Amino acid sequence: MTTGRRFCSDSRNGHTLRVDTLLQTLKDGLTIGSLYALIALGYTMVYGILKFINFAHSDIVVLGAWLSLVIATAIVKALGLEAGQTAPWWVGPFVLLCAMLVCGLIGFTIERLAYKPLRKAPKLNVLITAIGVSLFLQNTGQLQFVFGTRPQPIPSLLSDQVLFAIGNMQVRLLDLVVIGTAFVLMIALEWLVFHTKLGRAMRAVSFDVRTAGLMGIPVDRVISITFVIGSSLAAAGGFLWALSFTSIKQPADTSWVLLGLKAFVAAVVGGIGNVRGAMFGGLAIGMLEVFGQQYINPALKDVYVFAALIVVLLVKPGGILGKATVEKV
Amino acid sequence: MASLQDRAAHFKPSPAGGVWRALWPLVLAIGFGVMMQLVVRPNIDAYSSTQVLNIGIAIILAVSLTIVNGFTGQFSIGHAGFLAVGGYVAGSLAYYGSFAFFGSGAAKLGMLSGLYGAPAGAPIFTGGEVLFFLSLLAGGLISALLGVAVGLPSLRLRGDYLAIVTLGFGEIVRVLIQQTPQVLMTREAIAESPAWKVPLSVGGSLGFGNVPKYTSHFWVYAAVIITLIFAYRLKQSSTGRALLSIREDEIAAEAMGIRTTYYKVWGFVIAAFFAGIAGGLYAHTLGISLSPVDAGFQKSFDIIIMVVLGGLGSISGAAIAAAIVTYLPELLRTPDTLQQFAIVGVPMLIVGFSMLGMARRKGDEAELRSGRDRRALPRVIIGMGTVIVGLSALAFFAKRLNINLSEYRLIIYALALIVMMITRPQGLLGVRELWDGALYRPLRDFFAPRNRSGRGA
């Protein structure tokens, strides 16, 4: 393994039923779950409005992660820091903001150029276009003068500090930063969607595009804004993901697609199209994965996630927080 | 005026005609397969030979997925899962079966097997090929069974649920295959291993490359012909009409008394069966090491792209798109092949399409049936010119500026896909078929004379 995970301290030492192990697992689940939730929000918002699975979303996450790496490396170089030295505190937030801005812009461009001409096309066409966009982003990223085809180490932006520990359970600064950032962003989105005029417009468009348009809502603009918000949340997810590892994988690596798929599963489990559902689903999927890994069989951690998906769809097809919809003729 | 009874007699199939209708696809499949293996294959080089084989397997996959995505309008994105299941089941049965019956895992090639033909003096047909054929069928059947298990719960629901569940299914298959134990290489190892564990020893994430390599142009193209004819007949049958009606409007179909869940599951199971067969053929191909990645979503996407590019619901469209999608990335490897393609391939494709009345976006039905289109020629010339000039310019600049095109080929491919979806969303053929054109009428009348001519009127 070239990629060491920074926040998952290895606690699999046989004492699986100890309280500190349980707490450690809970904390890991919370960390990874909040990342899934951030990414799931992008899927769920786009699905809620345009009713298609945006397969290019996971590539925006990759872009966010790699942009963070490139920007962070440049700053560290400009500051003249040596390898292994931790950057000053303001570098992290600055990198995060840059990545979110650029990804938001790219999300906007993609929507305008690729998805907008297909507003009235069959759903499958939009989906193929999304796959095309995903292939495009992946392979552009793989070019030698863009990001290259090799995993790269990311400079350390946070000191590797243990804040407190209970037995085997350690809470690091990194865990707090990941969970904290994710929750701040999610609360901000919650406020935006449920307490502003823009949020009301977004909900209206997702409820019924045509009627929303008749009521004077600028549908195209709302869709564009949705893409920008979803893409910047994805960038934040990518940044936090990059922060959690010592190095990040090349853009076309399958682990990225798997990350995107799990986030999508989280969105479905929570109830696709439902913003709170995506947050809840992300945490649930993260917990499920980490607990399954710790207490059942670590090799099957992907199986738990997808099995949970199938079980939820069989029992409650609308998702845990979703409402059952009745089709009108 | 003939009596009703006389008129009805015209529609009653004669027993001899029935036997002929049941057998000619088999005869055609075997004949075409033998021709591909003994006439075509020896005359092309090793590289093209592999490409032709890959195209054949892609056609089976694309046509099988057309039954779900094209005919029924359901959306499955885990088709590669069935490919992998069929491949692993067939591969495991053939490999360990060879040990049980012949004492070693090596292929017993007959005259019609093996990618590069059989060694000199090989028998016409061997026991190994029987085993291969049976394991192919077994792979297809197990795939179909899994199709029931996946389809039955998810097809009860309307909407994207099949998509999501099949996505999960493909991933579960991939992860489960990764957990399988190592391949047993010798008879001793097989004897030592517990019996239930033997067929499951398919190599995990290391891949399963020891499958005896039987697949040849004969087997693949015989299967292609069977798949095509099956899909064609399915589309004409009452089951097929039920599937098409579900695609058009599920609620209306249900109101007309069609058991939508029943037919949707049937369509899905048939598709899973053929995907399993394709998987078996793929597993037995020389140079292929079956691996868990083959069950992954990327493989599934490739198949979906073929179906959508060809035109949803068009069998011939899916087959053509399968050939293009398999071959296009190879073309972009060097500027030279690209140029050759621009100068020879593009005109051939476009002329072919326009002769069949397919080159236009819309056209009235009567004109289409007569195969004549006055506006087609200028459009063909302009389109052909643009594509030739464009591709040649690309090739020219790549050579001049010393750019390695193969580095960019997937980007070009992705862009082509997006542009295609925006400018021609219905795909190459839309819902039409190649044989809707006038060129094919004599052929069609020969093979399916029943619904033509004024008989019984």
Side-chain angles (χ1 to χ4, degrees):
Chain A
M1 279 283 272
T2 48
T3 326
R5 179 176 273 187
R6 282 184 182 143
F7 56 63
C8 254
S9 45
D10 188 24
S11 56
R12 287 185 56 83
N13 47 9
H15 311 286
T16 43
L17 286 177
R18 283 167 49 169
V19 178
D20 53 352
T21 319
L22 182 73
L23 285 174
Q24 171 78 23
T25 318
L26 260 175
K27 186 214 74 190
D28 285 347
L30 199 63
T31 323
I32 195 132
S34 52
L35 278 177
Y36 286 158
L38 266 188
I39 304 168
L41 281 169
Y43 279 108
T44 222
M45 280 162 58
V46 169
Y47 191 92
I49 292 184
L50 294 177
K51 301 285 179 287
F52 86 98
I53 307 168
N54 182 12
F55 276 109
H57 194 64
S58 67
D59 297 282
I60 302 283
V61 179
V62 181
L63 192 69
W66 273 91
L67 275 177
S68 314
L69 183 143
V70 169
I71 299 169
T73 314
I75 294 177
V76 165
K77 205 179 248 174
L79 294 176
L81 295 177
E82 282 164 35
Q85 211 171 347
T86 305
W89 67 270
W90 53 268
V91 177
F94 179 73
V95 170
L96 174 66
L97 267 181
C98 284
M100 283 175 75
L101 267 176
V102 176
C103 282
L105 207 65
I106 287 176
F108 173 80
T109 320
I110 291 172
E111 197 273 327
R112 270 297 144 101
L113 294 183
Y115 300 146
K116 199 173 167 221
L118 289 167
R119 238 359 100 62
K120 293 204 173 68
K123 232 182 334 184
L124 207 53
N125 286 94
V126 191
L127 204 108
I128 301 287
T129 313
I131 294 171
V133 171
S134 157
L135 272 177
F136 177 77
L137 289 177
Q138 242 174 50
N139 289 294
T140 312
Q142 291 274 86
L143 287 177
Q144 224 34 263
F145 55 85
V146 186
F147 300 134
T149 51
R150 246 174 249 147
Q152 271 192 31
I154 178 164
S156 138
L157 300 179
L158 278 178
S159 61
D160 192 20
Q161 198 179 340
V162 179
L163 295 183
F164 60 91
I166 306 171
N168 269 333
M169 202 273 278
Q170 295 178 326
V171 173
R172 289 157 194 268
L173 182 60
L174 180 80
D175 299 320
L176 277 191
V177 166
V178 170
I179 299 174
T181 315
F183 272 84
V184 165
L185 286 171
M186 283 192 270
I187 290 167
L189 183 79
E190 166 89 13
W191 173 78
L192 180 85
V193 171
F194 291 99
H195 297 277
T196 64
K197 211 172 156 189
L198 174 65
R200 182 174 293 169
M202 284 162 73
R203 280 180 290 145
V205 171
S206 105
F207 193 73
D208 188 333
V209 179
R210 267 184 60 202
T211 315
L214 290 174
M215 296 298 129
I217 293 171
V219 172
D220 281 336
R221 201 185 306 159
V222 170
I223 292 176
S224 287
I225 293 173
T226 309
F227 264 87
V228 171
I229 295 174
S231 301
S232 22
L233 288 178
F239 168 79
L240 295 177
W241 187 263
L243 209 59
S244 317
F245 289 99
T246 44
S247 77
I248 59 176
K249 296 257 179 76
Q250 66 273 27
D253 193 80
T254 44
S255 63
W256 290 115
V257 192
L258 205 60
L259 171 67
L261 280 182
K262 283 185 192 162
F264 175 67
V265 169
V268 176
V269 165
I272 187 106
N274 182 329
V275 172
R276 285 173 189 158
M279 302 178 193
F280 173 78
L283 291 178
I285 288 295
M287 288 290 177
L288 177 75
E289 185 183 324
V290 173
F291 271 86
Q293 197 176 5
Q294 174 75 28
Y295 291 103
I296 308 174
N297 182 352
L300 296 178
K301 66 173 185 160
D302 301 333
V303 172
Y304 307 132
V305 174
F306 291 107
L309 168 76
I310 292 178
V311 169
V312 168
L313 285 183
L314 288 182
V315 180
K316 204 164 181 301
I320 294 174
L321 296 189
K323 268 181 259 150
T325 48
V326 181
E327 199 168 337
K328 277 169 269 176
V329 183
Chain B
M1 195 74 188
S3 72
L4 185 65
Q5 213 164 12
D6 286 347
R7 275 193 276 164
H10 282 296
F11 292 99
K12 219 176 200 174
S14 66
V19 171
W20 168 237
R21 267 197 300 281
L23 286 185
W24 74 255
L26 277 179
V27 175
L28 182 68
I30 292 174
F32 189 74
V34 168
M35 188 199 75
M36 287 301 291
Q37 180 71 4
L38 300 182
V39 182
V40 175
R41 209 233 14 110
N43 292 314
I44 49 180
D45 58 289
Y47 176 73
S48 320
S49 179
T50 317
Q51 289 302 320
V52 172
L53 200 75
N54 289 343
I55 288 175
I57 293 175
I59 291 177
I60 304 176
L61 283 171
V63 171
S64 67
L65 190 63
T66 296
I67 297 173
V68 181
N69 284 17
F71 293 2
T72 325
Q74 303 302 307
F75 190 30
S76 159
I77 39 180
H79 212 52
F82 296 109
L83 168 91
V85 167
Y88 270 98
V89 169
S92 166
L93 283 180
Y95 179 64
Y96 292 111
S98 295
F99 270 108
F101 295 121
F102 314 121
S104 87
K108 289 211 170 323
L109 295 181
M111 251 173 70
L112 292 171
S113 294
L115 177 54
Y116 300 127
I124 294 177
F125 211 68
T126 64
E129 286 168 312
V130 176
L131 177 68
F132 167 57
F133 181 68
L134 290 179
S135 34
L136 275 188
L137 282 185
L141 287 175
I142 301 275
S143 256
L145 272 181
L146 272 174
V148 180
V150 174
L152 209 50
S154 51
L155 286 167
R156 287 182 307 138
L157 310 161
R158 285 198 191 114
D160 285 341
Y161 293 108
L162 183 69
I164 299 163
V165 171
T166 45
L167 190 77
F169 165 73
E171 285 310 295
I172 290 179
V173 169
R174 189 179 63 80
V175 177
L176 288 182
I177 292 173
Q178 271 174 1
Q179 311 305 323
T180 52
Q182 278 188 349
V183 182
L184 307 168
M185 297 293 196
T186 58
R187 297 184 72 170
E188 290 74 39
I190 293 175
E192 277 167 26
S193 169
W196 61 270
K197 214 176 167 184
V198 171
L200 295 178
S201 307
V202 288
S205 46
L206 292 176
F208 188 22
N210 318 60
V211 182
K213 304 302 182 191
Y214 285 107
T215 305
S216 67
H217 291 73
F218 166 73
W219 291 105
V220 169
Y221 279 89
V224 167
I225 296 288
I226 300 266
T227 314
L228 286 174
I229 295 177
F230 186 92
Y232 174 77
R233 288 188 162 178
L234 180 70
K235 204 176 175 184
Q236 312 295 324
S237 70
S238 58
T239 308
R241 309 259 178 211
L243 296 180
L244 293 176
S245 72
I246 294 171
R247 175 185 77 189
E248 296 306 327
D249 191 330
E250 198 171 335
I251 297 171
E254 202 163 9
M256 291 293 138
I258 287 167
R259 294 150 70 195
T260 49
T261 305
Y262 174 84
Y263 281 110
K264 280 193 283 184
V265 172
W266 253 122
F268 191 66
V269 167
I270 291 169
F273 174 79
F274 280 109
I277 298 281
L281 288 168
Y282 177 73
H284 289 82
T285 306
L286 193 67
I288 295 289
S289 177
L290 212 54
S291 77
V293 183
D294 290 322
F297 39 85
Q298 259 143 0
K299 191 96 185 169
S300 298
F301 286 171
D302 283 347
I303 312 171
I304 295 173
I305 288 169
M306 292 169 196
V307 172
V308 176
L309 272 187
L312 275 175
S314 171
I315 302 163
S316 43
I320 292 170
I324 294 176
V325 168
T326 314
Y327 199 52
L328 190 68
E330 299 299 321
L331 272 180
L332 296 171
R333 272 190 199 281
T334 67
D336 287 331
T337 49
L338 188 67
Q339 212 157 18
Q340 279 167 14
F341 175 71
I343 292 166
V344 185
V346 172
M348 270 173 56
L349 271 179
I350 298 182
V351 168
F353 277 120
S354 59
M355 278 170 78
L356 297 165
M358 296 299 168
R360 90 206 93 179
R361 279 159 183 248
K362 286 177 200 132
D364 65 322
E365 235 13 54
E367 208 177 15
L368 173 77
R369 296 241 173 264
S370 73
R372 257 180 267 121
D373 182 4
R374 262 170 268 111
R375 287 156 303 168
L377 195 64
R379 202 177 294 131
V380 168
I381 292 171
I382 294 170
M384 210 156 63
T386 320
V387 177
I388 294 178
V389 169
L391 288 183
S392 302
L394 193 64
F396 176 77
F397 282 114
K399 234 182 206 171
R400 194 34 87 72
L401 303 174
N402 219 358
I403 298 171
N404 186 5
L405 264 187
S406 65
E407 210 174 300
Y408 296 87
R409 66 198 179 109
L410 282 170
I411 300 177
I412 298 174
Y413 173 66
L415 280 177
L417 195 66
I418 298 171
V419 170
M420 170 99 186
M421 279 301 108
I422 293 173
T423 56
R424 199 178 163 82
Q426 74 274 45
L428 284 176
L429 296 194
V431 291
R432 285 176 290 198
E433 299 286 0
L434 270 186
W435 44 82
D436 289 340
L439 263 187
Y440 285 80
R441 184 160 295 165
L443 266 176
R444 187 178 55 182
D445 287 346
F446 176 70
F447 284 119
R450 215 149 58 86
N451 29 357
R452 311 290 148 236
S453 71
R455 270 208 279 169

